[in-house]
Amino acid sequence: MSIRLGDIAPDFTADSTEGPIRFHEYLGNSWGVLFSHPKDFTPVCTTELGEVARLKPEFDKRNCKVLGLSVDSVEDHRRWAGDIAETQGARLNFPLLGDPDRKIATLYDMIHPNANDTLTVRSVFVIGPDKKVKLIITYPASTGRNFEEILRAIDSLQLTAQFSVATPVNWKDGDDCIVIPSLSDEEARQRFPKGFKALKPYLRITPQPNK
Ligand code: BEZ
């Protein structure tokens, strides 16, 4: 069955490049990003894994643990890690899960048979500290992801979990936000001491509340 926003992220145990992992226990009270790539020793995946290693301090700042996965073995992941360090200038610094029996890929519906019936697509699941799935994105094998965009989305998820705001198109941390429509003007005045500007009754802009 496919996983939807708001579902509890299925728990699993798996071996990884950093030893055995029990997923929920590993996440603890942190946010998490579980992402799949199609195959070890492939070009786009090599660049993606290098980029995630480079951005790891940014995920850490957001109290977010990152885990990668493909249907390869941990032994293959370890051999491939050398190529990632050599070609991308960044050493693997987060766990890569081995999933040769496709247990996790199946649990998370990461194999899309009409795209490829054996390899995982480029799935991303962002999981909150409550273990619920907050965001899902899926890219095909031929298109490498933009992990800066995933960080941007995590910033929005973390902000909107804390304040009664939504974030508009192309928002980034520090930009103005949108007052959620379910708040009355009176409630908005109380919640946002910096005030808000109503372009329309349903389109109210307020400075980012925690800046
Ligand atoms: C890649 O990572 O380059 C790749 C993997 C599987 C299919 C196509 C491209």
mmCIF file of all heavy atoms in Angstrom, residues 68-114:
data_model
loop_
_atom_site.group_PDB
_atom_site.id
_atom_site.type_symbol
_atom_site.label_atom_id
_atom_site.label_comp_id
_atom_site.label_asym_id
_atom_site.label_seq_id
_atom_site.Cartn_x
_atom_site.Cartn_y
_atom_site.Cartn_z
ATOM 1 N N GLY A 68 20.135 7.242 3.282
ATOM 2 C CA GLY A 68 19.967 6.862 1.874
ATOM 3 C C GLY A 68 19.706 5.375 1.768
ATOM 4 O O GLY A 68 19.959 4.609 2.702
ATOM 5 N N LEU A 69 19.207 4.969 0.620
ATOM 6 C CA LEU A 69 18.870 3.549 0.416
ATOM 7 C C LEU A 69 18.888 3.202 -1.060
ATOM 8 O O LEU A 69 18.501 4.019 -1.902
ATOM 9 C CB LEU A 69 17.459 3.303 0.974
ATOM 10 C CG LEU A 69 16.779 1.966 0.690
ATOM 11 C CD1 LEU A 69 15.908 1.579 1.853
ATOM 12 C CD2 LEU A 69 15.933 1.970 -0.583
ATOM 13 N N SER A 70 19.367 2.009 -1.369
ATOM 14 C CA SER A 70 19.106 1.420 -2.690
ATOM 15 C C SER A 70 19.024 -0.086 -2.505
ATOM 16 O O SER A 70 19.279 -0.597 -1.407
ATOM 17 C CB SER A 70 20.197 1.776 -3.708
ATOM 18 O OG SER A 70 21.376 1.084 -3.385
ATOM 19 N N VAL A 71 18.696 -0.786 -3.568
ATOM 20 C CA VAL A 71 18.528 -2.240 -3.450
ATOM 21 C C VAL A 71 19.872 -2.976 -3.546
ATOM 22 O O VAL A 71 19.902 -4.177 -3.779
ATOM 23 C CB VAL A 71 17.515 -2.784 -4.497
ATOM 24 C CG1 VAL A 71 16.134 -2.222 -4.255
ATOM 25 C CG2 VAL A 71 17.974 -2.463 -5.917
ATOM 26 N N ASP A 72 20.967 -2.253 -3.333
ATOM 27 C CA ASP A 72 22.297 -2.865 -3.310
ATOM 28 C C ASP A 72 22.639 -3.298 -1.879
ATOM 29 O O ASP A 72 21.955 -2.939 -0.922
ATOM 30 C CB ASP A 72 23.337 -1.855 -3.813
ATOM 31 C CG ASP A 72 23.026 -1.401 -5.221
ATOM 32 O OD1 ASP A 72 23.305 -2.158 -6.159
ATOM 33 O OD2 ASP A 72 22.465 -0.295 -5.371
ATOM 34 N N SER A 73 23.740 -4.050 -1.767
ATOM 35 C CA SER A 73 24.172 -4.511 -0.441
ATOM 36 C C SER A 73 25.017 -3.425 0.237
ATOM 37 O O SER A 73 25.576 -2.546 -0.431
ATOM 38 C CB SER A 73 25.011 -5.780 -0.587
ATOM 39 O OG SER A 73 26.199 -5.462 -1.297
ATOM 40 N N VAL A 74 25.140 -3.547 1.540
ATOM 41 C CA VAL A 74 25.990 -2.614 2.294
ATOM 42 C C VAL A 74 27.444 -2.750 1.837
ATOM 43 O O VAL A 74 28.186 -1.761 1.765
ATOM 44 C CB VAL A 74 25.836 -2.881 3.808
ATOM 45 C CG1 VAL A 74 26.898 -2.160 4.615
ATOM 46 C CG2 VAL A 74 24.446 -2.454 4.266
ATOM 47 N N GLU A 75 27.823 -3.964 1.492
ATOM 48 C CA GLU A 75 29.188 -4.188 0.983
ATOM 49 C C GLU A 75 29.423 -3.346 -0.293
ATOM 50 O O GLU A 75 30.453 -2.684 -0.437
ATOM 51 C CB GLU A 75 29.307 -5.668 0.654
ATOM 52 C CG GLU A 75 30.693 -6.228 0.533
ATOM 53 C CD GLU A 75 30.597 -7.731 0.266
ATOM 54 O OE1 GLU A 75 30.054 -8.450 1.130
ATOM 55 O OE2 GLU A 75 31.014 -8.127 -0.821
ATOM 56 N N ASP A 76 28.463 -3.342 -1.193
ATOM 57 C CA ASP A 76 28.576 -2.508 -2.407
ATOM 58 C C ASP A 76 28.619 -1.019 -2.035
ATOM 59 O O ASP A 76 29.404 -0.252 -2.587
ATOM 60 C CB ASP A 76 27.392 -2.748 -3.346
ATOM 61 C CG ASP A 76 27.595 -3.991 -4.207
ATOM 62 O OD1 ASP A 76 28.716 -4.545 -4.193
ATOM 63 O OD2 ASP A 76 26.628 -4.418 -4.869
ATOM 64 N N HIS A 77 27.737 -0.627 -1.108
ATOM 65 C CA HIS A 77 27.720 0.790 -0.691
ATOM 66 C C HIS A 77 29.114 1.203 -0.208
ATOM 67 O O HIS A 77 29.598 2.293 -0.506
ATOM 68 C CB HIS A 77 26.758 1.019 0.474
ATOM 69 C CG HIS A 77 25.293 0.897 0.147
ATOM 70 N ND1 HIS A 77 24.776 1.023 -1.108
ATOM 71 C CD2 HIS A 77 24.222 0.692 0.972
ATOM 72 C CE1 HIS A 77 23.451 0.899 -1.054
ATOM 73 N NE2 HIS A 77 23.093 0.688 0.194
ATOM 74 N N ARG A 78 29.744 0.312 0.580
ATOM 75 C CA ARG A 78 31.067 0.660 1.161
ATOM 76 C C ARG A 78 32.114 0.799 0.063
ATOM 77 O O ARG A 78 32.966 1.677 0.112
ATOM 78 C CB ARG A 78 31.488 -0.396 2.188
ATOM 79 C CG ARG A 78 30.644 -0.333 3.454
ATOM 80 C CD ARG A 78 31.335 -0.979 4.652
ATOM 81 N NE ARG A 78 30.538 -0.764 5.853
ATOM 82 C CZ ARG A 78 29.898 -1.726 6.520
ATOM 83 N NH1 ARG A 78 29.997 -2.985 6.140
ATOM 84 N NH2 ARG A 78 29.173 -1.429 7.583
ATOM 85 N N ARG A 79 32.057 -0.070 -0.936
ATOM 86 C CA ARG A 79 33.031 0.019 -2.043
ATOM 87 C C ARG A 79 32.791 1.302 -2.830
ATOM 88 O O ARG A 79 33.711 2.014 -3.213
ATOM 89 C CB ARG A 79 32.904 -1.205 -2.966
ATOM 90 C CG ARG A 79 33.579 -2.455 -2.398
ATOM 91 C CD ARG A 79 33.737 -3.521 -3.447
ATOM 92 N NE ARG A 79 32.459 -3.930 -4.021
ATOM 93 C CZ ARG A 79 32.154 -3.896 -5.311
ATOM 94 N NH1 ARG A 79 33.032 -3.460 -6.189
ATOM 95 N NH2 ARG A 79 30.961 -4.304 -5.724
ATOM 96 N N TRP A 80 31.500 1.618 -3.056
ATOM 97 C CA TRP A 80 31.127 2.802 -3.843
ATOM 98 C C TRP A 80 31.516 4.098 -3.118
ATOM 99 O O TRP A 80 31.864 5.107 -3.758
ATOM 100 C CB TRP A 80 29.624 2.738 -4.104
ATOM 101 C CG TRP A 80 29.046 3.811 -4.957
ATOM 102 C CD1 TRP A 80 29.600 4.402 -6.054
ATOM 103 C CD2 TRP A 80 27.757 4.418 -4.774
ATOM 104 N NE1 TRP A 80 28.720 5.337 -6.576
ATOM 105 C CE2 TRP A 80 27.588 5.357 -5.811
ATOM 106 C CE3 TRP A 80 26.726 4.238 -3.853
ATOM 107 C CZ2 TRP A 80 26.432 6.120 -5.941
ATOM 108 C CZ3 TRP A 80 25.567 4.982 -3.978
ATOM 109 C CH2 TRP A 80 25.435 5.925 -5.019
ATOM 110 N N ALA A 81 31.479 4.071 -1.782
ATOM 111 C CA ALA A 81 31.790 5.268 -0.989
ATOM 112 C C ALA A 81 33.162 5.829 -1.369
ATOM 113 O O ALA A 81 33.367 7.050 -1.365
ATOM 114 C CB ALA A 81 31.729 4.945 0.504
ATOM 115 N N GLY A 82 34.094 4.947 -1.711
ATOM 116 C CA GLY A 82 35.426 5.393 -2.130
ATOM 117 C C GLY A 82 35.341 6.246 -3.384
ATOM 118 O O GLY A 82 36.000 7.285 -3.495
ATOM 119 N N ASP A 83 34.505 5.820 -4.335
ATOM 120 C CA ASP A 83 34.342 6.586 -5.584
ATOM 121 C C ASP A 83 33.684 7.942 -5.306
ATOM 122 O O ASP A 83 34.028 8.955 -5.929
ATOM 123 C CB ASP A 83 33.443 5.827 -6.579
ATOM 124 C CG ASP A 83 34.081 4.544 -7.086
ATOM 125 O OD1 ASP A 83 35.236 4.271 -6.716
ATOM 126 O OD2 ASP A 83 33.408 3.817 -7.840
ATOM 127 N N ILE A 84 32.723 7.947 -4.373
ATOM 128 C CA ILE A 84 32.024 9.208 -4.048
ATOM 129 C C ILE A 84 33.032 10.209 -3.475
ATOM 130 O O ILE A 84 33.101 11.357 -3.909
ATOM 131 C CB ILE A 84 30.854 8.955 -3.054
ATOM 132 C CG1 ILE A 84 29.786 8.081 -3.720
ATOM 133 C CG2 ILE A 84 30.242 10.276 -2.574
ATOM 134 C CD1 ILE A 84 28.737 7.518 -2.768
ATOM 135 N N ALA A 85 33.838 9.732 -2.528
ATOM 136 C CA ALA A 85 34.842 10.629 -1.922
ATOM 137 C C ALA A 85 35.824 11.119 -2.985
ATOM 138 O O ALA A 85 36.155 12.303 -3.050
ATOM 139 C CB ALA A 85 35.576 9.897 -0.804
ATOM 140 N N GLU A 86 36.246 10.186 -3.851
ATOM 141 C CA GLU A 86 37.271 10.539 -4.857
ATOM 142 C C GLU A 86 36.732 11.550 -5.877
ATOM 143 O O GLU A 86 37.400 12.522 -6.208
ATOM 144 C CB GLU A 86 37.708 9.252 -5.562
ATOM 145 C CG GLU A 86 38.766 9.460 -6.627
ATOM 146 C CD GLU A 86 38.980 8.199 -7.455
ATOM 147 O OE1 GLU A 86 38.854 7.072 -6.910
ATOM 148 O OE2 GLU A 86 39.253 8.351 -8.672
ATOM 149 N N THR A 87 35.504 11.338 -6.350
ATOM 150 C CA THR A 87 35.025 12.171 -7.461
ATOM 151 C C THR A 87 34.239 13.402 -7.008
ATOM 152 O O THR A 87 34.143 14.368 -7.758
ATOM 153 C CB THR A 87 34.116 11.350 -8.414
ATOM 154 O OG1 THR A 87 32.952 10.912 -7.690
ATOM 155 C CG2 THR A 87 34.862 10.156 -8.982
ATOM 156 N N GLN A 88 33.631 13.355 -5.801
ATOM 157 C CA GLN A 88 32.755 14.462 -5.371
ATOM 158 C C GLN A 88 33.403 15.333 -4.297
ATOM 159 O O GLN A 88 32.820 16.336 -3.873
ATOM 160 C CB GLN A 88 31.413 13.920 -4.835
ATOM 161 C CG GLN A 88 30.681 12.994 -5.804
ATOM 162 C CD GLN A 88 30.443 13.657 -7.160
ATOM 163 O OE1 GLN A 88 29.860 14.743 -7.237
ATOM 164 N NE2 GLN A 88 30.916 13.025 -8.230
ATOM 165 N N GLY A 89 34.540 14.898 -3.796
ATOM 166 C CA GLY A 89 35.228 15.689 -2.766
ATOM 167 C C GLY A 89 34.474 15.726 -1.451
ATOM 168 O O GLY A 89 34.650 16.655 -0.665
ATOM 169 N N ALA A 90 33.620 14.754 -1.215
ATOM 170 C CA ALA A 90 32.876 14.691 0.051
ATOM 171 C C ALA A 90 32.753 13.226 0.449
ATOM 172 O O ALA A 90 32.367 12.383 -0.375
ATOM 173 C CB ALA A 90 31.495 15.320 -0.106
ATOM 174 N N ARG A 91 33.109 12.950 1.695
ATOM 175 C CA ARG A 91 33.100 11.579 2.188
ATOM 176 C C ARG A 91 31.719 11.248 2.757
ATOM 177 O O ARG A 91 31.119 12.099 3.429
ATOM 178 C CB ARG A 91 34.176 11.460 3.273
ATOM 179 C CG ARG A 91 34.578 10.073 3.663
ATOM 180 C CD ARG A 91 35.890 10.105 4.439
ATOM 181 N NE ARG A 91 37.029 10.423 3.577
ATOM 182 C CZ ARG A 91 37.586 9.555 2.720
ATOM 183 N NH1 ARG A 91 37.133 8.315 2.636
ATOM 184 N NH2 ARG A 91 38.593 9.938 1.962
ATOM 185 N N LEU A 92 31.212 10.059 2.477
ATOM 186 C CA LEU A 92 29.901 9.632 3.001
ATOM 187 C C LEU A 92 29.891 9.798 4.528
ATOM 188 O O LEU A 92 30.733 9.222 5.208
ATOM 189 C CB LEU A 92 29.700 8.157 2.619
ATOM 190 C CG LEU A 92 28.265 7.652 2.505
ATOM 191 C CD1 LEU A 92 27.502 8.396 1.424
ATOM 192 C CD2 LEU A 92 28.266 6.149 2.196
ATOM 193 N N ASN A 93 28.939 10.594 5.044
ATOM 194 C CA ASN A 93 28.924 10.886 6.482
ATOM 195 C C ASN A 93 27.529 10.682 7.077
ATOM 196 O O ASN A 93 27.155 11.304 8.052
ATOM 197 C CB ASN A 93 29.423 12.328 6.710
ATOM 198 C CG ASN A 93 28.675 13.321 5.834
ATOM 199 O OD1 ASN A 93 27.683 12.954 5.171
ATOM 200 N ND2 ASN A 93 29.113 14.577 5.816
ATOM 201 N N PHE A 94 26.758 9.821 6.415
ATOM 202 C CA PHE A 94 25.413 9.472 6.901
ATOM 203 C C PHE A 94 25.178 8.023 6.460
ATOM 204 O O PHE A 94 25.856 7.530 5.540
ATOM 205 C CB PHE A 94 24.361 10.428 6.310
ATOM 206 C CG PHE A 94 24.325 10.428 4.802
ATOM 207 C CD1 PHE A 94 23.471 9.580 4.107
ATOM 208 C CD2 PHE A 94 25.183 11.253 4.071
ATOM 209 C CE1 PHE A 94 23.468 9.572 2.717
ATOM 210 C CE2 PHE A 94 25.185 11.241 2.687
ATOM 211 C CZ PHE A 94 24.315 10.401 2.011
ATOM 212 N N PRO A 95 24.239 7.311 7.085
ATOM 213 C CA PRO A 95 24.079 5.892 6.756
ATOM 214 C C PRO A 95 23.410 5.655 5.402
ATOM 215 O O PRO A 95 22.447 6.326 5.046
ATOM 216 C CB PRO A 95 23.207 5.339 7.896
ATOM 217 C CG PRO A 95 22.702 6.503 8.648
ATOM 218 C CD PRO A 95 23.447 7.732 8.251
ATOM 219 N N LEU A 96 23.977 4.690 4.685
ATOM 220 C CA LEU A 96 23.324 4.187 3.467
ATOM 221 C C LEU A 96 22.791 2.805 3.815
ATOM 222 O O LEU A 96 23.566 1.916 4.192
ATOM 223 C CB LEU A 96 24.341 4.034 2.338
ATOM 224 C CG LEU A 96 24.533 5.130 1.321
ATOM 225 C CD1 LEU A 96 25.342 4.625 0.130
ATOM 226 C CD2 LEU A 96 23.196 5.694 0.851
ATOM 227 N N LEU A 97 21.495 2.631 3.685
ATOM 228 C CA LEU A 97 20.867 1.347 4.041
ATOM 229 C C LEU A 97 21.014 0.366 2.891
ATOM 230 O O LEU A 97 20.822 0.736 1.730
ATOM 231 C CB LEU A 97 19.372 1.552 4.328
ATOM 232 C CG LEU A 97 19.038 2.537 5.455
ATOM 233 C CD1 LEU A 97 17.584 2.986 5.353
ATOM 234 C CD2 LEU A 97 19.294 1.880 6.806
ATOM 235 N N GLY A 98 21.328 -0.860 3.214
ATOM 236 C CA GLY A 98 21.328 -1.924 2.209
ATOM 237 C C GLY A 98 19.942 -2.544 2.163
ATOM 238 O O GLY A 98 19.321 -2.763 3.202
ATOM 239 N N ASP A 99 19.471 -2.795 0.954
ATOM 240 C CA ASP A 99 18.110 -3.360 0.838
ATOM 241 C C ASP A 99 18.055 -4.373 -0.314
ATOM 242 O O ASP A 99 17.176 -4.283 -1.180
ATOM 243 C CB ASP A 99 17.116 -2.209 0.620
ATOM 244 C CG ASP A 99 15.657 -2.643 0.778
ATOM 245 O OD1 ASP A 99 15.387 -3.579 1.556
ATOM 246 O OD2 ASP A 99 14.794 -2.044 0.110
ATOM 247 N N PRO A 100 18.990 -5.350 -0.318
ATOM 248 C CA PRO A 100 19.047 -6.260 -1.469
ATOM 249 C C PRO A 100 17.792 -7.125 -1.619
ATOM 250 O O PRO A 100 17.470 -7.540 -2.736
ATOM 251 C CB PRO A 100 20.289 -7.117 -1.198
ATOM 252 C CG PRO A 100 20.585 -6.950 0.241
ATOM 253 C CD PRO A 100 20.040 -5.623 0.663
ATOM 254 N N ASP A 101 17.076 -7.342 -0.512
ATOM 255 C CA ASP A 101 15.831 -8.131 -0.639
ATOM 256 C C ASP A 101 14.610 -7.227 -0.866
ATOM 257 O O ASP A 101 13.477 -7.701 -0.853
ATOM 258 C CB ASP A 101 15.639 -9.034 0.583
ATOM 259 C CG ASP A 101 15.606 -8.231 1.889
ATOM 260 O OD1 ASP A 101 15.654 -6.969 1.831
ATOM 261 O OD2 ASP A 101 15.536 -8.851 2.969
ATOM 262 N N ARG A 102 14.842 -5.934 -1.038
ATOM 263 C CA ARG A 102 13.811 -4.932 -1.369
ATOM 264 C C ARG A 102 12.727 -4.789 -0.289
ATOM 265 O O ARG A 102 11.598 -4.395 -0.595
ATOM 266 C CB ARG A 102 13.120 -5.257 -2.698
ATOM 267 C CG ARG A 102 14.075 -5.406 -3.843
ATOM 268 C CD ARG A 102 13.296 -5.602 -5.112
ATOM 269 N NE ARG A 102 14.087 -6.315 -6.094
ATOM 270 C CZ ARG A 102 13.619 -6.854 -7.189
ATOM 271 N NH1 ARG A 102 12.330 -6.757 -7.456
ATOM 272 N NH2 ARG A 102 14.393 -7.469 -8.013
ATOM 273 N N LYS A 103 13.070 -5.155 0.922
ATOM 274 C CA LYS A 103 12.075 -5.105 2.007
ATOM 275 C C LYS A 103 11.590 -3.662 2.241
ATOM 276 O O LYS A 103 10.396 -3.393 2.274
ATOM 277 C CB LYS A 103 12.728 -5.680 3.275
ATOM 278 C CG LYS A 103 11.795 -5.992 4.392
ATOM 279 C CD LYS A 103 12.555 -6.532 5.610
ATOM 280 C CE LYS A 103 13.286 -5.421 6.343
ATOM 281 N NZ LYS A 103 14.049 -5.836 7.522
ATOM 282 N N ILE A 104 12.560 -2.753 2.358
ATOM 283 C CA ILE A 104 12.181 -1.353 2.643
ATOM 284 C C ILE A 104 11.624 -0.699 1.383
ATOM 285 O O ILE A 104 10.653 0.065 1.432
ATOM 286 C CB ILE A 104 13.392 -0.559 3.177
ATOM 287 C CG1 ILE A 104 13.988 -1.273 4.382
ATOM 288 C CG2 ILE A 104 12.988 0.867 3.544
ATOM 289 C CD1 ILE A 104 15.371 -0.787 4.766
ATOM 290 N N ALA A 105 12.236 -1.007 0.243
ATOM 291 C CA ALA A 105 11.745 -0.439 -1.029
ATOM 292 C C ALA A 105 10.273 -0.798 -1.234
ATOM 293 O O ALA A 105 9.474 0.026 -1.694
ATOM 294 C CB ALA A 105 12.595 -0.953 -2.183
ATOM 295 N N THR A 106 9.908 -2.016 -0.862
ATOM 296 C CA THR A 106 8.514 -2.449 -1.020
ATOM 297 C C THR A 106 7.627 -1.755 0.013
ATOM 298 O O THR A 106 6.542 -1.246 -0.310
ATOM 299 C CB THR A 106 8.429 -3.991 -0.866
ATOM 300 O OG1 THR A 106 9.314 -4.571 -1.816
ATOM 301 C CG2 THR A 106 7.010 -4.497 -1.095
ATOM 302 N N LEU A 107 8.119 -1.698 1.242
ATOM 303 C CA LEU A 107 7.356 -1.062 2.336
ATOM 304 C C LEU A 107 7.025 0.392 1.997
ATOM 305 O O LEU A 107 5.947 0.887 2.311
ATOM 306 C CB LEU A 107 8.223 -1.134 3.599
ATOM 307 C CG LEU A 107 7.635 -0.890 4.972
ATOM 308 C CD1 LEU A 107 6.532 -1.901 5.263
ATOM 309 C CD2 LEU A 107 8.744 -1.012 6.032
ATOM 310 N N TYR A 108 7.970 1.074 1.349
ATOM 311 C CA TYR A 108 7.802 2.504 1.041
ATOM 312 C C TYR A 108 7.387 2.743 -0.414
ATOM 313 O O TYR A 108 7.364 3.891 -0.871
ATOM 314 C CB TYR A 108 9.099 3.274 1.365
ATOM 315 C CG TYR A 108 9.191 3.636 2.834
ATOM 316 C CD1 TYR A 108 9.576 2.678 3.778
ATOM 317 C CD2 TYR A 108 8.858 4.901 3.289
ATOM 318 C CE1 TYR A 108 9.632 3.000 5.126
ATOM 319 C CE2 TYR A 108 8.916 5.231 4.629
ATOM 320 C CZ TYR A 108 9.303 4.281 5.538
ATOM 321 O OH TYR A 108 9.354 4.607 6.876
ATOM 322 N N ASP A 109 7.085 1.666 -1.146
ATOM 323 C CA ASP A 109 6.614 1.794 -2.528
ATOM 324 C C ASP A 109 7.608 2.597 -3.385
ATOM 325 O O ASP A 109 7.231 3.475 -4.152
ATOM 326 C CB ASP A 109 5.227 2.470 -2.540
ATOM 327 C CG ASP A 109 4.456 2.193 -3.813
ATOM 328 O OD1 ASP A 109 4.756 1.189 -4.489
ATOM 329 O OD2 ASP A 109 3.559 2.995 -4.137
ATOM 330 N N MET A 110 8.889 2.244 -3.234
ATOM 331 C CA MET A 110 9.937 2.982 -3.946
ATOM 332 C C MET A 110 10.258 2.367 -5.303
ATOM 333 O O MET A 110 11.089 2.914 -6.038
ATOM 334 C CB MET A 110 11.222 3.008 -3.111
ATOM 335 C CG MET A 110 11.134 3.847 -1.852
ATOM 336 S SD MET A 110 12.512 3.431 -0.762
ATOM 337 C CE MET A 110 12.504 4.802 0.373
ATOM 338 N N ILE A 111 9.670 1.209 -5.601
ATOM 339 C CA ILE A 111 9.877 0.623 -6.937
ATOM 340 C C ILE A 111 8.604 0.865 -7.738
ATOM 341 O O ILE A 111 7.513 0.483 -7.300
ATOM 342 C CB ILE A 111 10.206 -0.887 -6.836
ATOM 343 C CG1 ILE A 111 11.557 -1.054 -6.135
ATOM 344 C CG2 ILE A 111 10.247 -1.533 -8.226
ATOM 345 C CD1 ILE A 111 11.987 -2.476 -5.873
ATOM 346 N N HIS A 112 8.749 1.564 -8.852
ATOM 347 C CA HIS A 112 7.606 1.895 -9.707
ATOM 348 C C HIS A 112 7.761 1.073 -10.989
ATOM 349 O O HIS A 112 8.503 1.478 -11.892
ATOM 350 C CB HIS A 112 7.572 3.400 -9.977
ATOM 351 C CG HIS A 112 7.356 4.227 -8.753
ATOM 352 N ND1 HIS A 112 6.973 5.554 -8.799
ATOM 353 C CD2 HIS A 112 7.458 3.932 -7.428
ATOM 354 C CE1 HIS A 112 6.846 6.028 -7.563
ATOM 355 N NE2 HIS A 112 7.141 5.065 -6.726
ATOM 356 N N PRO A 113 7.085 -0.065 -11.057
ATOM 357 C CA PRO A 113 7.360 -1.040 -12.122
ATOM 358 C C PRO A 113 7.208 -0.487 -13.536
ATOM 359 O O PRO A 113 7.888 -0.964 -14.449
ATOM 360 C CB PRO A 113 6.339 -2.150 -11.872
ATOM 361 C CG PRO A 113 5.946 -1.985 -10.445
ATOM 362 C CD PRO A 113 6.067 -0.525 -10.129
ATOM 363 N N ASN A 114 6.372 0.522 -13.727
ATOM 364 C CA ASN A 114 6.244 1.059 -15.085
ATOM 365 C C ASN A 114 7.414 1.976 -15.462
ATOM 366 O O ASN A 114 7.558 2.364 -16.630
ATOM 367 C CB ASN A 114 4.913 1.788 -15.267
ATOM 368 C CG ASN A 114 3.763 0.809 -15.240
ATOM 369 O OD1 ASN A 114 3.905 -0.337 -15.684
ATOM 370 N ND2 ASN A 114 2.627 1.222 -14.693
#
